[in-house]
Amino acid sequence: MDDNKGLKRFNGEDDDSGKQLKKWRTWALAKMATMKDLQKAQRGPWLFTLLEGRAWDACEHFTLEQLASEDGEKNLWQVLSDRFPDKEATDLMGEALGEA
């Protein structure tokens, strides 16, 4: 996730991508709430433009028509949350112990 002219991108490349997705989703939803003329049909395509790396790969199958549909934003969030689940604290502890 990096900042470029006030826009944050999500790439899914971090060790805990689920946590980063949660943070990015909060930022993206807040940003969309401040965008004066953003229509519901524009939300999915706008979010898609902020994806890169593994996150973009997970969503590249969506067509513009699918992204701009009534469920476009919801479907994009679903794919991202399925692909980058938020790890439980026990999962993180197990990985840390496994590395030690």
Side-chain angles (χ1 to χ4, degrees), residues 1 8-10 17-33 38 40 42-51 55 58-59 61-62 66-67 70-86:
M1 195 168 51
K8 296 182 185 221
R9 301 185 180 281
F10 177 70
S17 296
K19 183 177 181 180
Q20 291 303 315
L21 175 60
K22 186 176 179 180
K23 290 168 88 174
W24 181 74
R25 181 178 178 150
T26 301
W27 173 85
L29 292 172
K31 182 70 173 175
M32 286 189 289
L38 187 67
K40 184 170 177 126
Q42 295 172 308
R43 291 171 66 111
W46 183 78
L47 289 169
F48 184 77
T49 66
L50 299 175
L51 299 178
C59 297
H61 67 278
F62 285 114
Q66 290 172 320
L67 290 169
E70 186 174 316
D71 291 329
E73 176 191 1
K74 183 179 105 179
N75 293 336
L76 190 91
W77 287 128
Q78 186 63 52
V79 167
L80 290 172
S81 61
D82 288 348
R83 177 64 182 89
F84 306 104
D86 197 9

Side-chain angles (χ1 to χ4, degrees), residues 6-19:
L7 296 178
K8 296 182 185 221
R9 301 185 180 281
F10 177 70
N11 60 25
E13 305 288 337
D14 297 329
D15 289 339
D16 189 0
S17 296
K19 183 177 181 180

